Every structure is written in C-alpha cells, then in structure tokens.
Amino acid sequence: MEVSMQQLVVLAYSGGLDTSCILVWLREQGYSVIAYLANLGQNEDFEEARAKAEKLGAVDVIIEDLRRELVEDFAFVSVQGNCRYEDKYLLGTSLARPCIVRGLVRAARKHKAGFIAHGATGKGNDQVRFEFGCAALMPNAKVIAPWRDPGFCARFQGRQDLFSYARANGIPLPVTPKSPWSIDGNIIHVSYESGILEDPNCPAPEGLCQMTVDPEKAPDKPQLLTINFEKGIPVSVVMEDGSRVEGSLEVFTAVNTAAAAHGVGRVDMVENRFLGLKSRGVYETPGLTALHAAHGDLESVCLDKRVRDVKEHLAHVLAQQIYNGLWYSPECEYTRQCIAASQTHVTGSVRLKLYKGNVHVVQRVGAPGCSLYNTSLVSMDEHGGYDPTDASGFIAVHALRLREYGSLRAAAP
Amino acid sequence: MEVSMQQLVVLAYSGGLDTSCILVWLREQGYSVIAYLANLGQNEDFEEARAKAEKLGAVDVIIEDLRRELVEDFAFVSVQGNCRYEDKYLLGTSLARPCIVRGLVRAARKHKAGFIAHGATGKGNDQVRFEFGCAALMPNAKVIAPWRDPGFCARFQGRQDLFSYARANGIPLPVTPKSPWSIDGNIIHVSYESGILEDPNCPAPEGLCQMTVDPEKAPDKPQLLTINFEKGIPVSVVMEDGSRVEGSLEVFTAVNTAAAAHGVGRVDMVENRFLGLKSRGVYETPGLTALHAAHGDLESVCLDKRVRDVKEHLAHVLAQQIYNGLWYSPECEYTRQCIAASQTHVTGSVRLKLYKGNVHVVQRVGAPGCSLYNTSLVSMDEHGGYDPTDASGFIAVHALRLREYGSLRAAAP
Amino acid sequence: MEVSMQQLVVLAYSGGLDTSCILVWLREQGYSVIAYLANLGQNEDFEEARAKAEKLGAVDVIIEDLRRELVEDFAFVSVQGNCRYEDKYLLGTSLARPCIVRGLVRAARKHKAGFIAHGATGKGNDQVRFEFGCAALMPNAKVIAPWRDPGFCARFQGRQDLFSYARANGIPLPVTPKSPWSIDGNIIHVSYESGILEDPNCPAPEGLCQMTVDPEKAPDKPQLLTINFEKGIPVSVVMEDGSRVEGSLEVFTAVNTAAAAHGVGRVDMVENRFLGLKSRGVYETPGLTALHAAHGDLESVCLDKRVRDVKEHLAHVLAQQIYNGLWYSPECEYTRQCIAASQTHVTGSVRLKLYKGNVHVVQRVGAPGCSLYNTSLVSMDEHGGYDPTDASGFIAVHALRLREYGSLRAAAP
Amino acid sequence: MEVSMQQLVVLAYSGGLDTSCILVWLREQGYSVIAYLANLGQNEDFEEARAKAEKLGAVDVIIEDLRRELVEDFAFVSVQGNCRYEDKYLLGTSLARPCIVRGLVRAARKHKAGFIAHGATGKGNDQVRFEFGCAALMPNAKVIAPWRDPGFCARFQGRQDLFSYARANGIPLPVTPKSPWSIDGNIIHVSYESGILEDPNCPAPEGLCQMTVDPEKAPDKPQLLTINFEKGIPVSVVMEDGSRVEGSLEVFTAVNTAAAAHGVGRVDMVENRFLGLKSRGVYETPGLTALHAAHGDLESVCLDKRVRDVKEHLAHVLAQQIYNGLWYSPECEYTRQCIAASQTHVTGSVRLKLYKGNVHVVQRVGAPGCSLYNTSLVSMDEHGGYDPTDASGFIAVHALRLREYGSLRAAAP
C-alpha cells in the first residue's frame, strides 16, 4: 500500500509510554507514523527505543544526534543573552524544543509528511513551543496534539487507561514505577514539576535531582576553571589541571560536568507559564549557570555602560520570547540579530571557582582592544586623564533640576 | 565669638584620619564645624570619635543612631523592589548615603548651618549621592567637597601629607596600617574597592571579607529560617529553633547574622559608576541577599504575571536611581510610590535554607487572599476549571502571524 | 413562569439588526433575555430601541446613560496617560467597552443573571474586551458569543440569512442600506473598518466621516480655546468668546464639538489587533485629540524630565492594556494607579488653536508650585543660578567613556 | 612661520558675528585658525563668509557641502527610527551637529590640528553634541569652548562687547538687527528659541517661521505625492503631476519643498535639555514630518506586530541618544545597527496628502514579500484560514488569570 502524504505523520517520539501509545493510536486513526527521536543527551537507550517504535509499526524511525546543534545554535545564544526567565529559569526545556522542532520539520519535509504530532500536555508550555515552531517553519503542516484531542482524551482519562492500552497493544510497560512528578531532561538541564511538587509549600524531596550532586554532598575542595570567550561564545575552557578543552559541545560538557559535580545550578521556583497559570518547578542547569556567570562578568568589562543597558532590555525580551515558544518568530529572529550585534567585543577570559553550589567569579580579563576597563582611570592613586574638579561641574549640572524641584516643594504650603 | 550662619558647616564625620584632617582644615578656612557622625552599624567607637572631634575643635558633635531608619526607610524599600544594580550589586553603600544626608540636613537646619561638607573622593559615586541629596533637601546649602577643592588637593597630594598634617595638628594617627584597599561598611554590608582590587584580574585576597564567614569555613550543617512578609516588608522571622523575631531592625539583624554565618552574599564584580568609569568592587551583603531571595520568591506567588512585568521594569529603574544618588529626586520618589503600590498583596511566608554561601528557597506560601497560585488549576491530575482544548484556540490564534510570516519567507526567492 | 438564574441572560443590545436577531435566537435557545443598551452618545433612538426589544420578547430592557462615566472614568484616564495605541489610535472603542461591561455586569448582578451575551464578531478586538471584562468582574458568569457559536454561525452564514430571519420573526429591517464598512461610534469617537476599507491601498471615501468636518471644508478662521487642568484632569475650558465651561461631560463636549467643527482628529491607519491580524481603520476622535495635545504639553512644563521618562513607559504599557481589553486586569489597575500618581502637579492651562485639521499649542502655563519651567535659569541673558563653566565638567565626565571607546577603536588594527 | 600642531585650531565657523569674534580672539590667544564652514543648506553666502574669514586672518578656510551627507547618513537614519524627542521634536539641529563634527574632525586630522573650537553657548545642547563627537572621533583633540572660557566670558559680557570688539578688529557688523530670538537652520529644519520665546506662555509671533508657509496662508488645494521606500529609506517620490524624483538629496528636497509650501511640520514645545533645563523651542521640519508619517505608516504593514514593539523601544532610545549628542557613542552605534536590522522588509509605497499643515496618509502598499497585511485573513466576509471558534480558546486561556484574580478580589473581605 502506498503511503499518501496526507496520511503521513512525523511523531516526536520519546520512547516512553505516552508517545508509544500515541504512535499506536495514530496508526489506529489511519496515519502512517514516522517516529522521530532527537538525541539531546537525555537519559535514554536510543537503540531500544528504535526497536520499540519499529515493533509498534512505525514506517520509519529517525534518531538524530542534535546535541551539538542544541549547544551551538540554542544554548550558546542564550549565554550571549544571559537569558533568564523571571530572573531565575535558565530555559533548559525552552531551548530544546525549537531544536527538536527544526529536526521534526526537516524530517517532515524530507519524507513529504503533512502532519506533525507531539505528546505534550494541554496545560503546559511545550505544546505551544512545538506548534509555534511548526507554524513558522512549515505553515502548511497540520499538527496533531492527542492530549488536546477530545477522542484521545476520552479514551485515556488516567494512567490506568494508558496501561491497559499498552498491555492490549504490546507496548512494553515501564519497569520502574512512575515518579510522583514529571521530568524533562537533556544535555543542558533536568527539570521536575507536577505531582507532589505542585504544592509550592512542599519542599523538593531529597534525592530529586539527577544531574547535579547535592551541594551538601559536593566535594570539600573547590574547583577552578577558566572559560575563554570570543564574541560572547565560549570557545575553550582551561581546567584546574591546566588541560584545555575546545569545541562547542566539548566545552559545554566539560563545564557542565564540573558544575554538576559541585552542586551548581539548582533552582526551586514558581513561574508564570505562557498560558497564564502559575506553576512550580525545580530545575538543575549546572553548565549554563556557570557559563552565564562567566559571560555576564566578561560583559561587565567589555561592554560600554550604555550598550549594556540597551542590550539588557533586549536580552530580557529574548528570554521571554524563548520561554513563550517564539524562537522562530520574526521578533525573536530580530532580537537575536540585535543580541549578536552586541557581542563583537565580548572576548576575554573569566576564571570561576565552583564550590558546593556556588559559582564565584574570581578573575576576569578582556582581550586587548575589547576591554573598556581602564585601571589608571579609576585608580585612587593616579589621575589617569581624569580631573576630579570636573566632577563638580558634572554634579552641579545634574543637580540643577533637583534644586529646582527641592525649592518648589519647599515653597509648597 | 558668635558663629554666623554663613560660617557654620556640618561635616559628615567618620572619625577617621581623612575627615579629621578635613575638620581641622575647615577650621583653618574660617568655618565653625559641627561634626555629624551617623551610627549605621559600622565598626566604630563612637564615643572615642566624639572625643576626638571635640578635641579637634568641633563646635558641636552630633552622633545619631540611624540604624533603624536605614533598615526601615531604605533597605526594606530596596527589598520591595528587589533592587540590584547591574544584576548583582545590592546597593549597600548607595542606600546608606541618603540616610546620612537626611541626618546631615536635619542637623544643618536645626543649627542653621549654611554649609555641608563631606570627605568623599572625586572619582567615586558617594560625592554624587551626598550632593544630589543636599541639592534636593536643602537647595540653598552650599556643599564643600575638599577632595575636589584645588587648595585642599594641592596641600594633600598623598597620604604622607595627611600624616604630616595630622601630626602637626594633634590628630591621632591610625594605629593599624591602612589596608591596601578602601572599605565602606554599615549594618547591611561591607564593600571593598581600589588598591590591589583595582586590577579585575587579581583575585580578591583571602581574608578580605569582614562581615561574612568564608563559605569554605561555614558550618557543615545548613540553617533553615522562615521569613514572614506583609505587603512586601519583612515583619518577622522564625529561626530554626522556633524562636520568633519581630521588629524591623531586629528581623534584619537576625537574618543578617544567620546569613553572614553561612557565608551568604559575597559578590566580586566590575560595575559602571555613575561617572562612567568602570570599577571593580567586592561586596558582602548577607542579610539583604537572603531577604531579596525570599521576597522575590514570594512575589512569584502573589503578583499577577503582568503586574510582575510592569513592576520589574520599575524596580530596574529604581535600582539605577538609587545607585546614581537620586533617592530624593522627583523620579525616585515617584518610582518608589509605584513600587509600593505593587506590594499590596505581597504577604506570606518563605522558608530559606542557608548553606555555605547558598540561599535556597525551599518552601513558600502566600497569605489567603494574596496567593494567586492555584494548585487545582495547574495540576496534571485535574481539570480545575481549565479545558485543555481551549489551548488549541489559544495556540491557533497566536500562530496566525507566525504562519503568515513563515509563508511569506517561504515564498521569498 | 419563573425565570431561573441559569436561564437569564443580559444581552449587550445595540438596537440594530444583528443584536435583534441574537435576542430572538437566544430566546429560541431557551434563555430569558434582558436587553441592556448603554447610551454612550452614539447615534441611536433609544426609546425606539426599547420598544423594539420589548416587542421581540425581552423580559426587561435597561437603558443607561453612561456618557459621564465614559468621560470621567475612562476617557480622562487616557488623557492622563496620553494613551495612543501604535502611536496613533486614540482608543475610542477600547475605552467604551469596559464602560459597557461594567454596566452589563451591574445589570447581571442586580437581576441575578448567570449569562452575558454580546454581538461582537469572531475576528475582532471587541469580543476580547467584553469577555476579559466579564471574566474579571463576574468570574462565574458564562459568556455567550453567538458569532463564535457553531450553531449560530451555521444558521447565519451571510447577511441574507439575517434578513430572512428578521422577516420571519418580525424584526424590523434597516431602512437604509448597510454602508460598505462597519461603524462604531460614541461620544468620543467614530470608527470605520472592514468592507472596502479592508484594502489599505484604497483611499477612505470622501464623506466617510460623520463626526468631524472635512478639514478642507472647515472654517477659514481658526478657533482658540484654553483648557484648564487639575492633576491632569481637564476641569474647565474657556472658549474664544470668554465663556467658561465646567463639569467633566460638559468640558469634554465643548472641546469635542469645537475640534470636530475644525476637522481635528482624523486618522487613517493599519493596526495590529490583539489577535495578531493586521487591520485597517479610519478613526475620528476630535475632542481627545485636542485634549491629548493640551495635556501632553502641560506635562512638559509640570513633569520633571526623568519622571516624564518613567511615566512615558507606563503610559505606553497602559495604552496596550486598554487596547487589548485588559482594563479590569490586575496589571491595568496597577498601571492606572501609577499613572495617577504622576499627575499630582499636572495643573495649569494650555491654549490651543484649532484650524482645518490642526491642533496647535500656542501658550501654556503651569500653576504656581507646579511649573518646573524656570525662565531665568534657561535664559541666554542671565545666569539664573547656573554657572556655564559647570558644563565643562559635566561634558568632560560624560565624555570619559566616549574617549575611552574612541581610543580603543582608534587603536584597533 | 611654521604653524605647529599645538597651535593649530579648527574652528566651526558660521560666518556670523560670534564666530568671527572668536576667530580673532583665538588668534589673539596665539592660535592659528582654520575656519571650517559646513554647507548644510543654511541661509548663508558661503563665498562672502570665506572672504571674511580670510580677511580676519584664518590660515585656511574650508567650506564643505555636507547636504547629501546630512540627508543620507543622518536624516534618513532618523526616518528609519521614526525618531522624535519627547514625542515631538524631529531633531533638526541634533542631526546636523554630528555631521558637522565629522567634517571638523576630518579637517583637523588632515591638517594635523590639535584643537577644535566652537561657538556654542554654555547652557545649550550643542556644546555637548560638538564635544561628545570630538571626544569619540578624535580623543586626543582639545576642545576650546570660548563661551565657557572665563577669560572670554569676562571680555564679552553682552552683545555690546561683541560689537565694540568687532568694530575694533575690522569685523563687519550685521546689517540687519538681531532678531529677538536665536535661530538655527539647515536643509532639514529651522529652529527658534530664547529671547521672547523663553516665556512659554508667550505665543510665537506671527512671521517667525522662515521655512514653512503659515498653514493659514497655504494653498487651498491639497497636494498628493507618493513616497517609495526600500528597506526603510526613501528612494523616490512621485509628485502629483506624475514626475518622479530620485536620489537621496533630491527626494528629500522635493518632499521638503512640497511640505513647506503646505505649512507642514511646525511644532511649538517645551523640552527638557540634556543639561536638565526646560526650554521652549519652535521648530519647523516640513520634509521630515512628511517622511516620518509615510515611513511609520509603511512599517505598519511591513513590520510584524512584535518586531514593531521591540523596534519601537530601540527607536525611542535612539532619539534620546541623538538629542543628547551621543551619535558617535558605542550605544548609538549599536542602536543604529539594531534599527537598520529591523528595516529589511520595510519596502513599499505610501501616498500622502499635504494640506494646510496636515499630512494625511491616504494609501499604502507593501512590496510583495514585504507586506504582512493579509486582506482575506482580516476580512469580515471570508474566513481566510481563520477559524473564529479558535478565538474562544484564545480568550478562555487569556482570561484564566483574570478570572483567578477576580475571584480572589471578590472573596476579599
């Protein structure tokens, strides 16, 4: 039988119970299913997943290693922007989604599939991120979101329904009991939400985190490392033993591993989802936490004060765009261009100390022609081209309107 | 001899070598000097300072305990605004200056003095903060800034000149050698800059910090404490042993002491001064670091998402105003009004864990009528008044312009 | 028969064909209908509309004169904020909707109705404004939006279906043919969109505008009037003949009438709707155009430069909130509080000249204690407390970082 | 005699009394003076000015026609940014200053002059613009600002002193009496301030404006013209008679002439100078007013809604930078890069109607591949790929937090 384009769907497949059931269910609805599984460094046996999808009737299974893409095209852009959503969240999931979407669309185009399906739930941000990406990159594709499909939802009203369906359709059941929260992980982070975490007054249970060592169990000896940036991009890292790591994925992995070993990058927070719901999440993002600290610090010596102000606003906007699933939107493309333009001189080195959950910047130096820090200008011990009496004029002029205002208020009845 | 108002100067006196020399020098210039010394909790023997100023010929010595004012009127306002300058600096000095200026002006008015003098240097931010405050609060007062006075500067070209002058004028010399950096301290922070710290690539020396324990030497056992807020103001703290502390200064002190003991609140950074110079500073602000973490977290459950956005912008503006010495400016008064208006429902409790330099929020709960967190709405296990199929419409509408844009770009040659 | 709360709906009734059909259709669906008709000054025979609604079976007809509310509680707030959406649109419709919603909810509460219905279409902004208002003010009310109801839409697929339905149900047909565009009007504005206006390259037809005289047909003689503000609110207007008008509605009407007679306030623009669609509209808002010009000008003398900056950002945010139907949202309530706080000293008088489409400010004066304009300070002919040599220091200090930057770039290879 | 670099000064020479006196005074101080006169289209006899400067002893006189540079490199950038300072001022002077500074520095470099002198006063913005530009472009140059030089100011305390000095030094006196205000003009604008205009409650006198016809005396017949943009730059204009003008300076001049003839672009305002003073100015900027109207309108069809938001903030920042004399600052260079990046698709045509002071946009069309306006999407008469029921989900989701908030407030005591 020929597979017509109308019937062909590329499914964002995770290898887990939900998307396995969705795979079978889609086949039941008459679709031919290509299972697409992105390797973003998550904890997964990819070949086992491939075998499972094939066994469940996927017409094709595509497994792509996108780890380097994730680091270069997404994570490092967020480092350039120092992007944090609501001051804390380092966007581990938000950065991964557009990376997956690009892969999904690539696969859909290549195989001339007209449908893209995903297993994201109906209350979360991920559905938005998948579907905005598809709308922008493949406007004619139709998206199938089973967890918002009335038929699907009626059939699968609880996990027991998934279990029964799995048993009936030869889908292997998970051997470990489901944890009482949901997890998303990739090379840059692991996040935890829902279940018992839904109560923001319930402390995150000990042993929750998978990627980072508990700060209280981290080594007693701090670790020092030096990160070298070129135009805002980490290009190499010099470890404490003097060894030097180069290459985007390699640098990221080295920093991530070190930071994770020292318990760096855990956040427990309540955030506002794009849909307006407040939600509690626990995140661990060790490597990005360290890279943000280093990059932000380097900017403090390489960016002019007012450039910093303009860029800071844009970076704030960028973080919101990324969180809201708008990576492929015109505004995000535009904002990323602006951020990139700010990084021309963000070149230099920052030395970090990692210790039991802390990242401390201990040294920094901008490259020649990039550092705007002028020791002789700021020094208390030399004039360095600065005449202190100029400050009198500076203050007097700035104070003009304060004095006007003070006089006016003093004269008020 | 009668002291005419024209000749009477209120000097911001610290008790140290510089302002002692200034006191004598002012007298030489024909002024009568009132020494004003604010007790902000700095490390100082106030009665010894009084005796010294009297001995040096001050016509009056005023020592005011402003610690509670500093906490209530300044530090807690910055907590409400989560104010950080350039993302990191908690404004320890910047908050103290307007508190001192208010005291100085109070004294000048009371004693009908026409002059106010300070010992701030000509490259720093403090001169600006003193003089903007005076301009606004006492527009007709004249400010004397000896370190920008050509005569004074010509006479005192190095520390040796100060020493000679001190010896010649009976000013006691400091018994301890001057540290190779400068220090500013008060109840909320200690800061270190200049000297060997001027090189941003030189690590801060071990043993620099006075207020906080080195995280590496902090207790192995974490400490938990719960901070209770009303309208964004910390009103009480419950310590790990269940004891409860109330009162502004008392709450602040309890949190500050605990945080300091656990090495919380150290920052090593390069910042952009108001005058445009880049400058490296090391700051320790343990209590405010903990209070900011708690307050910001409570806002995440009590502030609506969009109110948070509007307020965040204002808070950013407020931090810059405070840093730039503009506390008494019309714009800062206005911004503070706006910030205060955002805090009506920021009432609830946050539980913190302090551990070797870390502040982790472990629990938070908004007061009834204040918390906008709705567990049943966000829960994966119940609908809670939310219909997931609504998200389809939500996404479809938002995706309209993305699809338009995608189609347009796809059609581009 | 008793009307149960479940069955009782308050319908935003306009008196026109659409909402008359909706009234009858709602009755067919089993609802009892209260017709609610707000008098906002639109061109309507209210008693005829009452008779029609009664005849069509409304259980009650409520007609409320909300004109003063519209001016005081909505239009004047937007004057304080100088609110323009996308730089041009003066929000004539956007301000009216929350005024109507408040009336609808008042009626629904009073009559214990559980439903609110409106006749807004499914592509526009008004549906959003109605429903956001209802969600905030009466969270438990259910909203019926027939133009998005599949049953209703299936039945009424074109205007011919409305005509047939009207004929079949005794609904009087409009005697004048429908204009080839849609109109919304109230005391503050008339707007025109859709139909032939949908093509942005098609000029607005001559004779389109109903409220303002065509500038080319306006009087050859300009008209001068003086508007007096207290705390940013227009409290009186002095007409060219010296007569003085007081009272909110009266002042607004006098200014509106004068401005309309001189062709002031026409805008032809493309805007971005909340739903993301681009839409072309023609607006006429004579009175608000004149009041904005006067108020903005008065702020230039009464607001400190930096207060202006902070407020300007908030005003921009407010305009977007109003346009997006968020009047009753927490963020809009908050923003309005902030805007109001900025107006304490915006008291004074502005003289306008109206002439063939132009509003020119010709004179302005802030009230004593409110004006920050200091003639002697700015004068070229006197020093006025300003020492020009201070500017040297001011410039030198500001230029520090420019010189650093220039040197760095000059040294670049 | 050889002129040493130390003694050589390039003077921004206007040909008027002030800079002529400065020229002679500089020679008295021992400088050799190169008179630099930029032709920006101001009302000036350049050859007469050259002769005068030579006669007064200038070692060289440089007259450069910078009109095209002014239009291309400065005015059109501000069109792309829709730059208005404080909502109204079109920056006519602010744009000209960096154009002149670039010329001055070019001359100083070529002739190896170490000094640059200007005749701007000590209370205004222009001194700042000159000197910031010099600091950035020629950090080692020394700037001489006679009107802030104590010796110069002591000698020239009033205009009589200038007259006496002129008579004594063979400087021709102006034949026309000085107008009771000061004027700055160039090809893009004329501005008027000080003198009798210093009182903001004094109407601008009739006959003040030189560039534009009084709207009341403008033609009774409107004029239509079509401006074509490519990437936000006006590339041609089609006049009412169908003739087409191309070339930057030519297009600008054609639009400027037409707009001036119809009384377009007069503004009477109070602004906040960079130095903090409030100042009243009357400006006429006919061509830029028309170009801004056209460009802003074209953006409404070519810029995505959210790109517009991001760009609008940047444009606001750019206007302040330009006003404050920061054209050559790192932040302005950066902001201009960002603005330029937003203009990639701002290509299309806008038809304007000029009539007695009004500029009305009557038609606009984006180029294919650039216009995001989709008639079938917005049409009331077709679905165009839009499903109105999607709006229900859109509204429901957005209303979630409003409903939460409403419920919470309703439950409040």
Side-chain angles (χ1 to χ4, degrees), chain B residues 1 3 7-11 13 19-35 52-61 117 144 146 152 155-156 165 168-171:
Chain B
M1 188 196 86
V3 173
Q7 295 173 302
L8 191 57
V9 57
V10 177
L11 167 66
Y13 184 66
T19 51
S20 294
C21 289
I22 289 172
L23 196 166
V24 175
W25 179 82
L26 284 169
R27 292 191 58 222
E28 281 181 14
Q29 312 305 306
Y31 295 96
S32 296
V33 181
I34 296 174
K52 195 200 288 189
E54 284 171 351
K55 179 169 154 269
L56 297 177
V59 295
D60 201 352
V61 181
I144 302 170
F152 186 91
R155 182 145 179 188
F156 300 99
Y165 189 77
N169 287 281
I171 300 170

Side-chain angles (χ1 to χ4, degrees), chain A residues 122-123 331 353 382 401, chain B residues 122-123 216 331 382 386 401:
Chain A
K123 283 186 178 177
E331 66 268 32
K353 185 201 246 187
E382 31 178 334
R401 66 183 179 88
Chain B
K123 284 186 176 176
E216 298 175 38
E331 66 267 32
E382 30 176 336
Y386 174 81
R401 67 184 178 90

